[in-house]
Amino acid sequence: MEGKININVSAVDYDKTSKALTHQLSLLEEMVHGEEDFVMTDSEFAFGWHFFVLSVNRSLVQKLAEMMGSDFERLKGKGMEKKFLTWLTKNLDNKSPRFKIAIKEEMESSKFGIF
């Protein structure tokens, strides 16, 4: 999965969060003329939360960065992936009840190994 950014998502309401993510990323695809640039797994429910993975093509994020220019560079985060998470979170606030997102590879390599 070299060309993808894998994002762990945890959400209280899977339906609302997955719909909000799909809607936002579909709008982004339209904006940059992308197609089939993201995919979402089914959720697993534990501890009152739904856990699932969102995979986004790096090319989609790159097109967003090019289109936003210096505004993208000003987003909080180190590197393209973190800036994209900031952008995605800002665009999902108020559209989905409590949710958290993090880069999957970073979570797996953390010293605690928990998400």
Side-chain angles (χ1 to χ4, degrees), residues 84-102:
F84 178 67
L85 289 185
T86 299
W87 178 86
L88 193 55
T89 301
K90 280 183 181 179
N91 283 286
L92 285 182
D93 275 351
N94 305 326
K95 293 181 183 116
S96 174
R98 292 180 32 217
F99 71 96
K100 298 202 180 300
I101 56 178

PDB file of all heavy atoms in Angstrom, residues 84-102:
ATOM      1  N   PHE A  84      -2.969  16.855   6.291  1.00  0.00           N
ATOM      2  CA  PHE A  84      -4.216  16.336   5.734  1.00  0.00           C
ATOM      3  C   PHE A  84      -5.185  15.954   6.859  1.00  0.00           C
ATOM      4  O   PHE A  84      -6.380  16.236   6.771  1.00  0.00           O
ATOM      5  CB  PHE A  84      -3.953  15.139   4.819  1.00  0.00           C
ATOM      6  CG  PHE A  84      -5.204  14.527   4.257  1.00  0.00           C
ATOM      7  CD1 PHE A  84      -5.987  15.240   3.361  1.00  0.00           C
ATOM      8  CD2 PHE A  84      -5.614  13.259   4.638  1.00  0.00           C
ATOM      9  CE1 PHE A  84      -7.163  14.693   2.848  1.00  0.00           C
ATOM     10  CE2 PHE A  84      -6.770  12.705   4.124  1.00  0.00           C
ATOM     11  CZ  PHE A  84      -7.546  13.425   3.231  1.00  0.00           C
ATOM     12  N   LEU A  85      -4.679  15.332   7.925  1.00  0.00           N
ATOM     13  CA  LEU A  85      -5.546  14.986   9.063  1.00  0.00           C
ATOM     14  C   LEU A  85      -6.160  16.240   9.671  1.00  0.00           C
ATOM     15  O   LEU A  85      -7.334  16.250  10.034  1.00  0.00           O
ATOM     16  CB  LEU A  85      -4.759  14.233  10.139  1.00  0.00           C
ATOM     17  CG  LEU A  85      -4.329  12.801   9.826  1.00  0.00           C
ATOM     18  CD1 LEU A  85      -3.673  12.177  11.055  1.00  0.00           C
ATOM     19  CD2 LEU A  85      -5.471  11.949   9.348  1.00  0.00           C
ATOM     20  N   THR A  86      -5.351  17.304   9.775  1.00  0.00           N
ATOM     21  CA  THR A  86      -5.861  18.576  10.298  1.00  0.00           C
ATOM     22  C   THR A  86      -6.969  19.109   9.395  1.00  0.00           C
ATOM     23  O   THR A  86      -8.033  19.518   9.864  1.00  0.00           O
ATOM     24  CB  THR A  86      -4.716  19.607  10.405  1.00  0.00           C
ATOM     25  OG1 THR A  86      -3.724  19.099  11.303  1.00  0.00           O
ATOM     26  CG2 THR A  86      -5.227  20.945  10.921  1.00  0.00           C
ATOM     27  N   TRP A  87      -6.722  19.092   8.080  1.00  0.00           N
ATOM     28  CA  TRP A  87      -7.722  19.572   7.119  1.00  0.00           C
ATOM     29  C   TRP A  87      -9.005  18.750   7.230  1.00  0.00           C
ATOM     30  O   TRP A  87     -10.113  19.293   7.274  1.00  0.00           O
ATOM     31  CB  TRP A  87      -7.149  19.491   5.701  1.00  0.00           C
ATOM     32  CG  TRP A  87      -8.116  19.911   4.646  1.00  0.00           C
ATOM     33  CD1 TRP A  87      -8.353  21.177   4.203  1.00  0.00           C
ATOM     34  CD2 TRP A  87      -9.009  19.060   3.901  1.00  0.00           C
ATOM     35  NE1 TRP A  87      -9.327  21.165   3.232  1.00  0.00           N
ATOM     36  CE2 TRP A  87      -9.744  19.878   3.024  1.00  0.00           C
ATOM     37  CE3 TRP A  87      -9.243  17.684   3.885  1.00  0.00           C
ATOM     38  CZ2 TRP A  87     -10.702  19.373   2.158  1.00  0.00           C
ATOM     39  CZ3 TRP A  87     -10.206  17.184   3.026  1.00  0.00           C
ATOM     40  CH2 TRP A  87     -10.918  18.027   2.175  1.00  0.00           C
ATOM     41  N   LEU A  88      -8.862  17.426   7.282  1.00  0.00           N
ATOM     42  CA  LEU A  88     -10.018  16.534   7.339  1.00  0.00           C
ATOM     43  C   LEU A  88     -10.803  16.752   8.630  1.00  0.00           C
ATOM     44  O   LEU A  88     -12.033  16.854   8.603  1.00  0.00           O
ATOM     45  CB  LEU A  88      -9.542  15.074   7.237  1.00  0.00           C
ATOM     46  CG  LEU A  88     -10.579  14.005   6.966  1.00  0.00           C
ATOM     47  CD1 LEU A  88     -11.372  14.309   5.702  1.00  0.00           C
ATOM     48  CD2 LEU A  88      -9.908  12.644   6.856  1.00  0.00           C
ATOM     49  N   THR A  89     -10.111  16.881   9.751  1.00  0.00           N
ATOM     50  CA  THR A  89     -10.775  17.109  11.034  1.00  0.00           C
ATOM     51  C   THR A  89     -11.545  18.422  11.020  1.00  0.00           C
ATOM     52  O   THR A  89     -12.696  18.481  11.456  1.00  0.00           O
ATOM     53  CB  THR A  89      -9.744  17.110  12.180  1.00  0.00           C
ATOM     54  OG1 THR A  89      -9.061  15.843  12.190  1.00  0.00           O
ATOM     55  CG2 THR A  89     -10.413  17.320  13.522  1.00  0.00           C
ATOM     56  N   LYS A  90     -10.924  19.475  10.496  1.00  0.00           N
ATOM     57  CA  LYS A  90     -11.601  20.780  10.421  1.00  0.00           C
ATOM     58  C   LYS A  90     -12.865  20.698   9.581  1.00  0.00           C
ATOM     59  O   LYS A  90     -13.872  21.326   9.887  1.00  0.00           O
ATOM     60  CB  LYS A  90     -10.676  21.830   9.811  1.00  0.00           C
ATOM     61  CG  LYS A  90      -9.667  22.383  10.785  1.00  0.00           C
ATOM     62  CD  LYS A  90      -8.847  23.467  10.118  1.00  0.00           C
ATOM     63  CE  LYS A  90      -7.816  24.025  11.068  1.00  0.00           C
ATOM     64  NZ  LYS A  90      -6.990  25.065  10.454  1.00  0.00           N
ATOM     65  N   ASN A  91     -12.813  19.932   8.503  1.00  0.00           N
ATOM     66  CA  ASN A  91     -13.964  19.835   7.608  1.00  0.00           C
ATOM     67  C   ASN A  91     -15.034  18.875   8.113  1.00  0.00           C
ATOM     68  O   ASN A  91     -16.144  18.862   7.579  1.00  0.00           O
ATOM     69  CB  ASN A  91     -13.508  19.441   6.196  1.00  0.00           C
ATOM     70  CG  ASN A  91     -12.910  20.614   5.468  1.00  0.00           C
ATOM     71  OD1 ASN A  91     -13.610  21.512   5.031  1.00  0.00           O
ATOM     72  ND2 ASN A  91     -11.594  20.648   5.379  1.00  0.00           N
ATOM     73  N   LEU A  92     -14.723  18.074   9.125  1.00  0.00           N
ATOM     74  CA  LEU A  92     -15.713  17.142   9.675  1.00  0.00           C
ATOM     75  C   LEU A  92     -16.308  17.619  10.987  1.00  0.00           C
ATOM     76  O   LEU A  92     -17.327  17.096  11.417  1.00  0.00           O
ATOM     77  CB  LEU A  92     -15.094  15.763   9.899  1.00  0.00           C
ATOM     78  CG  LEU A  92     -14.860  14.924   8.659  1.00  0.00           C
ATOM     79  CD1 LEU A  92     -14.293  13.575   9.050  1.00  0.00           C
ATOM     80  CD2 LEU A  92     -16.130  14.732   7.864  1.00  0.00           C
ATOM     81  N   ASP A  93     -15.664  18.578  11.645  1.00  0.00           N
ATOM     82  CA  ASP A  93     -16.205  19.084  12.906  1.00  0.00           C
ATOM     83  C   ASP A  93     -17.651  19.521  12.694  1.00  0.00           C
ATOM     84  O   ASP A  93     -18.000  20.083  11.671  1.00  0.00           O
ATOM     85  CB  ASP A  93     -15.378  20.272  13.418  1.00  0.00           C
ATOM     86  CG  ASP A  93     -14.173  19.811  14.222  1.00  0.00           C
ATOM     87  OD1 ASP A  93     -14.082  18.607  14.526  1.00  0.00           O
ATOM     88  OD2 ASP A  93     -13.328  20.662  14.539  1.00  0.00           O
ATOM     89  N   ASN A  94     -18.485  19.221  13.645  1.00  0.00           N
ATOM     90  CA  ASN A  94     -19.918  19.553  13.624  1.00  0.00           C
ATOM     91  C   ASN A  94     -20.723  18.675  12.665  1.00  0.00           C
ATOM     92  O   ASN A  94     -21.932  18.778  12.630  1.00  0.00           O
ATOM     93  CB  ASN A  94     -20.160  21.028  13.269  1.00  0.00           C
ATOM     94  CG  ASN A  94     -19.421  21.965  14.190  1.00  0.00           C
ATOM     95  OD1 ASN A  94     -19.263  21.677  15.371  1.00  0.00           O
ATOM     96  ND2 ASN A  94     -18.973  23.083  13.657  1.00  0.00           N
ATOM     97  N   LYS A  95     -20.081  17.832  11.863  1.00  0.00           N
ATOM     98  CA  LYS A  95     -20.819  16.958  10.947  1.00  0.00           C
ATOM     99  C   LYS A  95     -20.888  15.533  11.480  1.00  0.00           C
ATOM    100  O   LYS A  95     -21.594  14.702  10.948  1.00  0.00           O
ATOM    101  CB  LYS A  95     -20.163  16.953   9.570  1.00  0.00           C
ATOM    102  CG  LYS A  95     -20.267  18.293   8.869  1.00  0.00           C
ATOM    103  CD  LYS A  95     -19.637  18.240   7.505  1.00  0.00           C
ATOM    104  CE  LYS A  95     -19.697  19.589   6.856  1.00  0.00           C
ATOM    105  NZ  LYS A  95     -18.423  20.192   6.599  1.00  0.00           N
ATOM    106  N   SER A  96     -20.099  15.257  12.502  1.00  0.00           N
ATOM    107  CA  SER A  96     -20.047  13.921  13.056  1.00  0.00           C
ATOM    108  C   SER A  96     -19.869  14.006  14.565  1.00  0.00           C
ATOM    109  O   SER A  96     -19.100  14.830  15.044  1.00  0.00           O
ATOM    110  CB  SER A  96     -18.861  13.164  12.436  1.00  0.00           C
ATOM    111  OG  SER A  96     -18.708  11.915  13.067  1.00  0.00           O
ATOM    112  N   PRO A  97     -20.583  13.138  15.298  1.00  0.00           N
ATOM    113  CA  PRO A  97     -20.344  13.122  16.739  1.00  0.00           C
ATOM    114  C   PRO A  97     -18.916  12.636  17.026  1.00  0.00           C
ATOM    115  O   PRO A  97     -18.206  12.258  16.119  1.00  0.00           O
ATOM    116  CB  PRO A  97     -21.383  12.143  17.274  1.00  0.00           C
ATOM    117  CG  PRO A  97     -21.887  11.408  16.101  1.00  0.00           C
ATOM    118  CD  PRO A  97     -21.577  12.201  14.879  1.00  0.00           C
ATOM    119  N   ARG A  98     -18.527  12.615  18.243  1.00  0.00           N
ATOM    120  CA  ARG A  98     -17.141  12.331  18.645  1.00  0.00           C
ATOM    121  C   ARG A  98     -16.432  11.305  17.771  1.00  0.00           C
ATOM    122  O   ARG A  98     -16.910  10.196  17.571  1.00  0.00           O
ATOM    123  CB  ARG A  98     -17.133  11.849  20.093  1.00  0.00           C
ATOM    124  CG  ARG A  98     -17.516  12.956  21.039  1.00  0.00           C
ATOM    125  CD  ARG A  98     -17.540  12.588  22.492  1.00  0.00           C
ATOM    126  NE  ARG A  98     -16.581  11.600  22.891  1.00  0.00           N
ATOM    127  CZ  ARG A  98     -16.829  10.666  23.803  1.00  0.00           C
ATOM    128  NH1 ARG A  98     -17.997  10.593  24.377  1.00  0.00           N
ATOM    129  NH2 ARG A  98     -15.898   9.817  24.155  1.00  0.00           N
ATOM    130  N   PHE A  99     -15.267  11.719  17.261  1.00  0.00           N
ATOM    131  CA  PHE A  99     -14.429  10.824  16.476  1.00  0.00           C
ATOM    132  C   PHE A  99     -12.979  11.248  16.636  1.00  0.00           C
ATOM    133  O   PHE A  99     -12.683  12.373  17.002  1.00  0.00           O
ATOM    134  CB  PHE A  99     -14.829  10.836  14.988  1.00  0.00           C
ATOM    135  CG  PHE A  99     -14.467  12.108  14.280  1.00  0.00           C
ATOM    136  CD1 PHE A  99     -13.288  12.197  13.551  1.00  0.00           C
ATOM    137  CD2 PHE A  99     -15.284  13.224  14.344  1.00  0.00           C
ATOM    138  CE1 PHE A  99     -12.942  13.371  12.908  1.00  0.00           C
ATOM    139  CE2 PHE A  99     -14.951  14.400  13.713  1.00  0.00           C
ATOM    140  CZ  PHE A  99     -13.776  14.475  12.983  1.00  0.00           C
ATOM    141  N   LYS A 100     -12.083  10.310  16.359  1.00  0.00           N
ATOM    142  CA  LYS A 100     -10.647  10.592  16.400  1.00  0.00           C
ATOM    143  C   LYS A 100     -10.009   9.920  15.195  1.00  0.00           C
ATOM    144  O   LYS A 100     -10.435   8.841  14.783  1.00  0.00           O
ATOM    145  CB  LYS A 100     -10.015  10.045  17.681  1.00  0.00           C
ATOM    146  CG  LYS A 100     -10.573  10.663  18.948  1.00  0.00           C
ATOM    147  CD  LYS A 100      -9.619  10.517  20.095  1.00  0.00           C
ATOM    148  CE  LYS A 100     -10.154  11.122  21.374  1.00  0.00           C
ATOM    149  NZ  LYS A 100     -10.454  12.508  21.357  1.00  0.00           N
ATOM    150  N   ILE A 101      -8.990  10.594  14.631  1.00  0.00           N
ATOM    151  CA  ILE A 101      -8.272  10.005  13.508  1.00  0.00           C
ATOM    152  C   ILE A 101      -6.772  10.095  13.762  1.00  0.00           C
ATOM    153  O   ILE A 101      -6.304  11.015  14.420  1.00  0.00           O
ATOM    154  CB  ILE A 101      -8.638  10.674  12.158  1.00  0.00           C
ATOM    155  CG1 ILE A 101      -8.408  12.183  12.192  1.00  0.00           C
ATOM    156  CG2 ILE A 101     -10.065  10.358  11.764  1.00  0.00           C
ATOM    157  CD1 ILE A 101      -8.719  12.883  10.874  1.00  0.00           C
ATOM    158  N   ALA A 102      -6.054   9.089  13.256  1.00  0.00           N
ATOM    159  CA  ALA A 102      -4.598   9.053  13.415  1.00  0.00           C
ATOM    160  C   ALA A 102      -4.002   8.222  12.282  1.00  0.00           C
ATOM    161  O   ALA A 102      -4.660   7.327  11.740  1.00  0.00           O
ATOM    162  CB  ALA A 102      -4.227   8.436  14.759  1.00  0.00           C
TER     163      ALA A 102
END
